[in-house]
Amino acid sequence: LQHKPAVLHSGLADGARLEAWLAAGSNEAKLIVGTRSAAFVPLANPGLMVVDEEHDSSFKQQEGFMYHARDVLIYRAKQYQIPIVLGSATPSLETLRHALSGRYGHLQLSHRHLQAKLPKMQLIDQKKQPMQGGLSPALLKAIEQHLLQGGQVMLYLNRRGFAPSLLCHSCGYVAQCPHCDACMTLHRKIHRLRCHHCGHEKQPPQACPNCGAPLQAQGLGTEQLEDVLRSHFPGFPMARLDRDATARRGTLENTLAAIANGSVRIIVGTQMLVKGHDFPDVTLVAVVDADQGLFVADFHGPERFAQNLIQVAGRAGRAERPGTVLVQTHHPDHPAVSYTHLRA
């Protein structure tokens, strides 16, 4: 690029943010790249707006000053009388409706980059399966086959930490956050309980505070999944991509580089895996627990489940090697699962 872009995001210091803001307003910066808050940046000479992954829920600010960055940019583009591009492989239902009804122009990409074939998606019914650490025999066999054939394997589980809850089997006590009444997640490697809603954390109790019985970790998180995979496939290098594993500066970049050059063979992660990555050697993508996205208390739940499923499936078979996607679920007949499976 001839022009250095101005970058805006929450990780910037106040001085750097002000510098980018002034560069955009003075026409010094011809290209502005930013996250949600960049929707309000002043523009001296606007010509085009692009909202990448327009369906993403992170564009919606739900605390304090509430707004939807995508809708703000649509309104601003109309004011400036300039074009705006809403890009997504899985557009939101409202955007898709506007495109199909003719309110928006509808541009479609008919094939993948380099004419790569779409991956084959298969459902694994978990019912009555002898699961090993959240992994079915069919999935374990598929992982082994793809690794032995030289491919990389990606496992998607949208739960960081070791286990989503800490439970007393004797009296039913569950470790809950004192501030927002949500279950606290066990992070075993740092020996902490964390609330993923408000950030409160504390040391796990040695025993149940109500009856003194031992506490048990319930459910599966990425930390635990990583341990399970290391025990089954000890000879294959592994990396975990979630907010905890990539907290240190430079860790994310180094991990992505290791995946890209093939020195990592098994990748475990949360939504950080879903969008934007191009790993040509990934031949198998596995959705470890599809059910967690099916029954959330949100009317957008099925829509977001289908979007995440299609997005993560798109990481498989992006080059010459064909890709396979395996989805573990107890509800293979659920409309959000079966319809997405047929459409993939």
Side-chain angles (χ1 to χ4, degrees):
L1 292 174
Q2 293 180 340
H3 304 284
K4 182 180 179 180
V7 180
L8 284 159
H9 57 78
S10 60
L12 293 176
D14 290 343
R17 185 190 294 268
L18 176 61
E19 183 179 341
W21 193 274
L22 295 175
S26 66
N27 205 28
E28 178 185 346
K30 304 295 184 181
L31 178 64
I32 298 93
V33 181
T35 54
R36 182 172 59 206
S37 60
F40 299 99
V41 69
L43 299 172
N45 186 27
L48 172 68
M49 291 182 176
V50 179
V51 183
D52 190 28
E53 305 291 358
E54 65 83 25
H55 67 277
D56 200 302
S57 59
S58 65
F59 283 118
K60 191 173 184 179
Q61 169 87 16
Q62 303 191 71
E63 297 177 356
F65 176 62
M66 293 182 287
Y67 66 95
H68 199 303
R70 178 198 62 203
D71 297 341
V72 170
L73 289 168
I74 291 173
Y75 180 78
R76 292 189 69 187
K78 184 177 180 181
Q79 281 188 314
Y80 289 131
Q81 296 184 339
I82 60 173
I84 181 170
V85 177
L86 307 180
S88 175
T90 55
S92 61
L93 292 181
E94 57 266 33
T95 297
L96 186 60
R97 182 178 185 275
H98 291 325
L100 295 177
S101 67
R103 183 174 179 180
Y104 293 170
H106 194 190
L107 304 176
Q108 299 184 65
L109 296 177
S110 59
H111 54 80
R112 303 178 92 187
H113 180 57
L114 299 177
Q115 302 293 328
K117 294 182 179 180
L118 290 171
K120 294 181 179 179
M121 186 179 292
Q122 302 173 20
L123 303 181
I124 297 177
D125 191 345
Q126 289 178 265
K127 292 192 294 291
K128 299 181 180 180
Q129 292 283 332
M131 306 294 287
Q132 300 182 49
L135 304 176
S136 64
L139 179 52
L140 286 169
K141 182 179 180 181
I143 292 173
E144 182 180 21
Q145 288 177 343
H146 281 260
L147 289 175
L148 293 177
Q149 291 169 2
Q152 289 175 307
V153 174
M154 180 180 289
L155 293 100
Y156 169 67
L157 176 64
N158 199 29
R159 277 201 196 104
R160 58 192 175 97
F162 185 82
S165 62
L166 199 59
L167 170 73
C168 175
H169 191 61
S170 296
C171 70
Y173 164 83
V174 178
Q176 290 186 308
C177 176
H179 303 295
C180 58
D181 203 32
C183 291
M184 299 193 75
T185 300
L186 175 64
H187 291 253
R188 196 171 70 173
K189 291 188 177 180
I190 59 173
H191 195 58
R192 302 289 285 176
L193 284 172
R194 280 181 176 170
C195 175
H196 289 174
H197 295 274
C198 70
H200 175 73
E201 64 176 67
K202 63 181 181 181
Q203 188 170 348
Q206 296 295 322
C208 176
N210 290 343
C211 68
L215 293 171
Q216 300 177 6
Q218 295 292 311
L220 184 68
T222 50
E223 274 186 21
Q224 186 179 166
L225 179 59
E226 182 183 21
D227 290 346
V228 172
L229 288 165
R230 288 192 188 279
S231 67
H232 280 282
F233 308 102
F236 295 94
M238 188 179 309
R240 177 162 55 94
L241 276 176
D242 58 30
R243 196 184 305 173
D244 303 316
T246 59
R248 291 185 179 181
R249 184 184 297 273
T251 302
L252 177 59
E253 291 78 8
N254 293 336
T255 303
L256 292 176
I259 296 171
N261 66 30
S263 57
V264 168
R265 300 291 305 282
I266 304 175
I267 308 117
V268 177
T270 57
Q271 282 195 343
M272 294 180 71
L273 293 178
V274 171
K275 297 181 288 289
H277 302 300
D278 183 18
F279 303 131
D281 291 331
V282 171
T283 56
L284 174 65
V285 167
V287 179
V288 176
D289 184 10
D291 298 344
Q292 63 170 299
L294 294 178
F295 304 103
V296 295
D298 183 352
F299 73 94
H300 279 298
E303 175 187 1
R304 288 176 179 158
F305 166 83
Q307 288 169 338
N308 284 335
L309 181 54
I310 293 173
Q311 290 275 356
V312 76
R315 301 313 103 198
R318 297 177 66 87
E320 296 179 359
R321 295 184 176 186
T324 300
V325 181
L326 299 180
V327 182
Q328 291 191 151
T329 176
H330 288 93
H331 305 276
D333 296 327
H334 190 287
V337 178
S338 57
Y339 181 74
T340 306
H341 167 236
L342 292 173
R343 296 284 293 179

